[in-house]
Amino acid sequence: MPTTSSLQIGADDLAFPRLNALSYWLYLFSGILVGVSFFQGSTFAGGWTMYAPLNTPAYIPGEGLGATSVVLALIMFTAAVTMGSVNFLTTMYRMRAEGLRMRDIPIFSLSINLTVWMMLFAFAALLAALMILASDHVIGTTYFQFANDGSTLGTSAENPGASLLWAHLFWFFGHPEVYIVFFPALGAMAEIFQTFTGRRLVGRKWFIISMVLVAIQSFIVWMHHMFLTGINLPIKTIFMATTIGISLPFDLMVFSLIYTMAKGRVRFKTPFLFSLGALLLFILGGITGVFLGAIVLDYQFRGTYWVVAHFHYVMFGGATALIGGLYYWYPKMTGKMYDEFLGKVHFATFFVGFNLLYFPMFIAWETPRRVFEYPADLQIWHNLSTVGGFILGASMLVMFYNLFVSIWRGEDAGESPWKYASTAEWAVGSPPKLENFPGLPSYASGSLEFLDDEEVAERTGKPPGAGVAADGGTASDGGTARNIRAVTAPATPTAAAHETGGEGHASHASFWPFLVSLGGFIAFLGLSGVRTGSPVYVGMAAVGGLATVGSLVGMTRESFHAPEMAIAERWPFEGVEKMKLGMWTFLASDVVLFGGFIGSYAFVRVAYGWSDWHHDLIPAEHVTMPGLINTYLLLTSSFLVVLAMVAAKREWRGATTASLAGTFALGVGFLVNKGIEWNHLFHIHSEMFPNGWTLSTNIGSSTFYLTTGLHGAHVVVGLVICGYMTIRAWNGAYQGDDKPIEYFGLYWHFVDIVWLFLFPLFYIL
Amino acid sequence: MPSDTIAHAVGVPLHGGDVRAPADVFNSIFEVFLVLGTVVGIVVVAYTMYHAIKYRDSGSTDDPYADTVERPQLGEKPTGGTGGRKVFYSFGISAVIVVSLIAWTYTTLLYIENGPDESQAAIDAIEIEVEGFQFGWNFVYPNGHETNSLVVPQDRVIKLQVTSLDVFHNFGIPELRVKTDALPGQYTSAWFTASETGEYTAKCYELCGTGHSLMVTSVEVVPQSEYDEWYADTQSSGNGTSGNVTAAIDAGATTAVGGAPA
């Protein structure tokens, strides 16, 4: 995915290559942690939706540490996803080939762009849900328990919002996730349709507008997963409307694909067969989805095979298109052609198996999900499904064999084996070189060209060879007579010369991302068992934590430079440099994270009774003063960061250092003050709270400590950065270059602003 | 309360039989959707396949549509193809079908949500509290009697107040088309009527732990007279079994029903 879309938009690499490595390693280790969790037991014991309170330790049989590890693993995965999202978005907005407006980028890349936007926000909400759940597991907060003592039978709910809170958090992530999974498939489908029908996408503009609408609307349909939870009629009506509303753009996209075939030269190669198959499956999934949009029907479909069949037609239908995408880009990735006959065999068995597996589920829809008994008269359909499942599984073996063997036996694919393929990835060799393009790609003339060094130098005013090579990724010994190589020309020998591009491409080889991820893995595995008190687990948590922090410092100190493209299309962020854009994107997801925490607090408090809350749950010793002092400390520290920037710009080394040191001191003061406050509250002995007001005391204390604690953690991260920068400033850094201080300042101001919300919510109201 | 409500009950007419049952509502809508869905499915799939086959590449070197259609070129800046108007017409038709179908079902949603007309049926509705637990059901009748399986009279409006004593469950009687979530700390409501006597099954529709599959119980629909007999028998033991767990809810339920377990 990164490769194809960066090729399609003409970027030579991702904006932050080392972050990409970190994202990858975190992803890998999160997967390993999920694997390990199965050996600890109880992984996903409550199903993948992990409904509360079945997901809390009170309901997990035995020690059930796997249930905790898997939540921590998902946190790690979400961190990887967020880094990836920041990276992709920065790349797409800062590194497009000249002349490519956002609306001009190929439809697959556009679908990825929207997918990543949805990921940025949806996964932040998931992160909030997972962090809260992990804290219920590891440090004993009581968000998802409806009785404070963890008792499992009774109706006296001390936290009546517990169950629904999880459902809301989960589906606020869960529904956009459906489109996150489906959009890349949609993009691949559209791309493959264009190539194999020899037609440009009909109604492309409206196709794009439809996708944008879906991406936005995906965040306002989540409650249709909760129609039976007792939400009131007006809200149900709104969510019914948004749900039907989100299906309409898909109608348009389906018709757009159908009409793209008209007057085409349709060639039934494997990629197209899978895409066409996916379209048919999606049509069936869409029609059966309309059934679910009618709430009266939805009630009865809830928890039955109708839902199972419907979402497999949609989601696995999407996967079908992605398999088509795999065949489509296989020659680009490997330089070899797969075997067409085996590809068609794969499609035929896959399509038969798919429908045999899932279609009978519509007929046997009365079967409840996750129940191993069903009425005897439905047996034939279940048997057919089982047979279909095996056929579907077997068909995938054909693909693996085909793709594996073709790496050696396949014919050479050349730059493009596909007639009418139009996007940029088909204009370079297969597989593409490390630097992606034989020159700096540009669409300025209306179609793709590669600018060589001299041309770039002329345009940017820099002498050839100096920095330009690194920027464009071209080697300065490319020496061709022409400045511009049009893509329609056959590959010239110059391409070969680029292989030895020397220092041309930024080296990605950094060991630190791997070590950070390994440390995180050990720390999380340790955390999963900390509540048992076992020294092995505690030790792992400590060692892993130290290793993570140590490697992060190492990563910061390592000199690493990923140059930007000399000429690129950057709308709408021409004026925002790469780091700043990355920081802003990250903060946008952080807003949703805090939104998740603050929203959870508001939700459980409203469910409890807004004013009773303060009376029943909060001790008199919880006073406003510590919060007020902390507000003052943080605001002052933000002011000092601004002073540090000014001083750095004017090259006043002493003042820069002093301002940063002041910021650091005020931040430490904030934490010390908070520490005193918390310590006091932990140990109060009042009539209401004879054993202190700790994390587990009630839902009021849980929300207070966890939400302000998350903010405190942000302060700690800020202080680590600030301390590091103070030392560097003392050694003379940043003079005349206040950018790094500005990036830190953005983060620090954000943390302050969050506090301005938390203070009234947790101290005054 | 117990003795005079029974006496009162005998004289109450059986309005439940006149009420349109949720099962009937569901089945009729489902039927329309199935027919329409099948027709639309066949038409759209056929239309798609028609395009795919009609415009397949014959392998000839001449482009049959060279005059009207421009083929994509490698390296071109992506643009749209011609023929967008047809997309809009088709989209318009599909949107009208979908929106009108859903709008049509909305009135029935109101019916299912609000229950049958109060003046018609409320006086003889029976309100029963349902408590889900790992792994079974507890039914609390207005007189405080508790059972683990449900007994209800034929042709009566049965209103359910559903909650959970532990985790997230979902209470459903599939044949009677009644279903609602059972959440700890909250109540959801649902109602149904059964016109046929017999034995039905209630199931849990939300994964609630290892015994989820076993969380089934019987729902017995009996003639009114038989029910009255059964219910009278529960009186003696009735209030005694109602622990403090359900006491608070009983109070609420009794007032809501207006003292009338028929």
Side-chain angles (χ1 to χ4, degrees), chain B residues 115-197:
Chain B
D117 190 354
E118 291 288 318
S119 59
Q120 188 191 15
I123 42 160
D124 74 332
I126 301 178
E127 189 149 347
I128 297 171
E129 196 206 331
V130 183
E131 296 169 338
F133 58 88
Q134 285 178 321
F135 296 96
W137 301 99
N138 193 34
F139 302 96
V140 186
Y141 285 79
N143 66 0
H145 179 66
E146 296 188 28
T147 61
N148 288 129
S149 64
L150 191 59
V151 180
V152 293
Q154 183 185 13
D155 286 337
R156 286 285 292 276
V157 173
I158 313 295
K159 291 187 172 176
L160 303 175
Q161 287 291 318
V162 183
T163 189
S164 163
L165 299 178
D166 41 43
V167 302
F168 200 131
H169 302 279
N170 177 298
F171 178 80
I173 312 172
E175 297 101 319
L176 301 175
R177 304 293 180 215
V178 59
K179 199 182 278 177
T180 189
D181 284 336
L183 294 134
Q186 296 204 5
Y187 284 88
T188 57
S189 48
W191 67 276
F192 68 94
T193 70
S195 53
E196 310 259 329
T197 57

Side-chain angles (χ1 to χ4, degrees), chain A residues 62-408:
Chain A
E63 288 196 332
L65 297 184
T68 306
S69 305
V70 80
V71 172
L72 294 168
L74 287 174
I75 290 180
M76 207 163 171
F77 171 72
T78 310
V81 165
T82 305
M83 287 175 200
S85 307
V86 168
N87 208 346
F88 265 51
L89 287 173
T90 310
T91 306
M92 285 188 161
Y93 286 110
R94 291 282 303 170
M95 298 167 72
R96 298 194 303 277
E98 184 188 19
L100 271 192
R101 298 169 300 176
M102 273 314 283
R103 74 184 86 155
D104 294 331
I105 67 178
I107 204 85
F108 176 70
S109 295
L110 206 58
S111 75
I112 296 294
N113 176 269
L114 291 166
T115 304
V116 176
W117 270 116
M118 289 190 281
M119 283 165 80
L120 186 71
F121 297 122
F123 275 91
L126 178 67
L127 185 59
L130 293 171
M131 286 172 84
I132 293 172
L133 183 57
S135 112
D136 271 16
H137 278 238
V138 178
I139 57 175
T141 51
T142 63
Y143 273 77
F144 298 122
Q145 286 176 16
F146 71 106
N148 286 337
D149 57 3
S151 63
T152 58
L153 267 180
T155 51
S156 58
E158 285 138 325
N159 179 17
S163 233
L164 270 189
L165 172 66
W166 176 264
H168 277 294
L169 285 173
F170 182 81
W171 288 117
F172 186 79
F173 149 76
H175 202 84
E177 166 68 8
V178 172
Y179 301 107
I180 287 168
V181 174
F182 189 71
F183 261 39
L186 192 65
M189 222 193 281
E191 210 70 85
I192 293 167
F193 261 70
Q194 295 192 99
T195 296
F196 290 94
T197 61
R199 284 275 275 141
R200 295 176 187 136
L201 189 61
V202 171
R204 182 177 193 271
K205 186 166 97 185
W206 295 102
F207 196 96
I208 293 171
I209 290 172
S210 295
M211 287 207 295
V212 173
L213 276 177
V214 169
I216 295 167
Q217 282 189 71
S218 70
F219 288 92
I220 50 169
V221 294
W222 82 95
M223 276 195 234
H224 71 216
H225 296 271
M226 302 164 63
F227 276 148
L228 281 177
T229 55
I231 48 178
N232 64 30
L233 184 62
I235 294 181
K236 271 183 204 163
T237 308
I238 291 170
F239 277 83
M240 182 187 86
T242 54
T243 301
I244 294 304
I246 205 168
S247 77
L248 299 180
F250 280 114
D251 285 7
L252 191 140
M253 291 189 251
V254 165
F255 285 116
S256 169
L257 289 174
I258 293 176
Y259 289 119
T260 298
M261 291 188 284
K263 298 187 184 171
R265 309 197 72 185
V266 179
R267 284 148 297 135
F268 291 90
K269 300 272 191 208
T270 308
F272 183 73
L273 285 172
F274 273 97
S275 294
L276 181 64
L279 180 63
L280 296 176
L281 298 175
F282 186 65
I283 290 169
L284 258 70
I287 290 172
T288 52
V290 173
F291 285 59
L292 290 161
I295 298 182
V296 179
L297 300 186
D298 177 89
Y299 284 168
Q300 301 312 316
F301 291 140
R302 161 92 162 86
T304 67
Y305 268 34
W306 187 276
V307 178
V308 179
H310 159 71
F311 77 64
H312 279 97
Y313 266 89
V314 176
M315 303 284 279
F316 209 162
T320 308
L322 289 178
I323 294 170
L326 185 57
Y327 281 106
Y328 181 55
W329 281 298
Y330 178 84
K332 181 52 56 186
M333 291 188 279
T334 61
K336 304 286 185 182
M337 279 307 282
Y338 60 84
D339 184 279
E340 185 62 39
F341 173 74
L342 283 179
K344 282 180 172 145
V345 168
H346 175 207
F347 173 74
T349 45
F350 177 96
F351 200 70
V352 169
F354 185 108
N355 286 292
L356 202 54
L357 170 55
Y358 295 116
F359 198 82
M361 291 186 187
F362 284 123
I363 300 165
W365 74 267
E366 296 254 27
T367 315
R369 293 172 73 179
R370 297 152 172 166
V371 165
F372 52 76
E373 279 184 319
Y374 49 80
D377 57 328
L378 297 179
Q379 194 189 345
I380 176 73
W381 305 113
H382 286 278
N383 289 350
L384 282 177
S385 261
T386 307
V387 172
F390 278 104
I391 296 177
L392 184 66
S395 80
M396 294 307 289
L397 297 179
V398 177
M399 182 189 82
F400 289 128
Y401 171 80
N402 187 357
L403 298 190
F404 187 73
V405 166
S406 299
I407 292 176
W408 290 281

Side-chain angles (χ1 to χ4, degrees), chain A residues 384-721:
Chain A
L384 282 177
S385 261
T386 307
V387 172
F390 278 104
I391 296 177
L392 184 66
S395 80
M396 294 307 289
L397 297 179
V398 177
M399 182 189 82
F400 289 128
Y401 171 80
N402 187 357
L403 298 190
F404 187 73
V405 166
S406 299
I407 292 176
W408 290 281
R409 288 202 216 141
E411 288 171 35
D412 277 339
E415 287 190 353
S416 170
W418 310 124
K419 204 176 169 188
Y420 303 129
S422 60
T423 44
E425 73 271 28
W426 303 110
V428 297
S430 310
K433 306 283 176 265
L434 185 61
E435 68 274 9
N436 279 1
F437 297 107
L440 189 65
S442 164
Y443 282 87
S445 67
S447 60
L448 181 61
E449 294 169 337
F450 297 116
L451 312 181
D452 77 358
D453 292 352
E454 284 164 45
E455 176 78 0
V456 174
E458 207 174 291
R459 298 265 304 278
T460 56
K462 285 185 201 162
V468 179
D471 283 347
T474 54
S476 48
D477 58 348
T480 49
R482 296 161 58 203
N483 281 345
I484 298 170
R485 185 174 83 94
V487 292
T488 41
T492 58
T494 53
H498 295 297
E499 277 180 4
T500 53
E503 46 88 42
H505 203 72
S507 166
H508 290 194
S510 168
F511 224 78
W512 295 112
F514 172 77
L515 290 178
V516 170
S517 312
L518 180 63
F521 169 76
I522 296 168
F524 276 6
L525 188 56
L527 274 182
S528 76
V530 159
R531 71 167 185 267
T532 64
S534 142
V536 178
Y537 278 115
V538 176
M540 278 204 291
V543 170
L546 284 175
T548 311
V549 173
S551 346
L552 273 173
V553 171
M555 190 165 157
T556 320
R557 291 177 58 85
E558 180 186 51
S559 145
F560 188 85
H561 183 58
E564 280 210 87
M565 292 158 75
I567 303 170
E569 205 63 42
R570 294 181 171 134
W571 181 91
F573 297 111
E574 296 92 343
V576 188
E577 66 273 16
K578 188 173 84 170
M579 274 300 289
K580 202 198 251 182
L581 183 59
M583 178 59 84
W584 275 115
T585 318
F586 165 72
L587 290 182
S589 85
D590 222 19
V591 167
V592 176
L593 177 68
F594 274 107
F597 274 77
I598 292 173
S600 299
Y601 163 74
F603 185 83
V604 290
R605 185 164 172 175
V606 167
Y608 187 91
W610 187 268
S611 36
D612 291 343
W613 175 280
H614 197 266
H615 181 261
D616 298 352
L617 306 178
I618 312 292
E621 288 81 354
H622 179 54
V623 292
T624 314
M625 193 45 83
L628 201 61
I629 294 172
N630 270 350
T631 310
Y632 173 75
L633 291 177
L634 273 193
L635 286 182
T636 316
S637 73
S638 256
F639 178 67
L640 283 182
V641 177
V642 178
L643 283 189
M645 267 178 71
V646 173
K649 202 174 271 174
R650 302 206 176 153
E651 307 195 20
W652 297 340
R653 190 184 123 195
T656 314
T657 314
S659 303
L660 283 173
T663 307
F664 186 79
L666 288 169
V668 169
F670 174 93
L671 289 179
V672 169
N673 185 26
K674 185 183 276 295
I676 295 169
E677 179 201 18
W678 281 22
N679 192 43
H680 174 63
L681 290 171
F682 283 153
H683 298 106
I684 55 172
H685 296 285
S686 63
E687 202 178 313
M688 257 171 92
F689 302 102
N691 302 317
W693 198 60
T694 64
L695 274 84
S696 322
T697 304
N698 58 39
I699 182 65
S701 64
S702 292
T703 49
F704 170 75
Y705 289 119
L706 194 62
T707 315
T708 58
L710 176 71
H711 176 265
H714 275 72
V715 172
V716 170
V717 170
L719 285 181
V720 170
I721 300 169

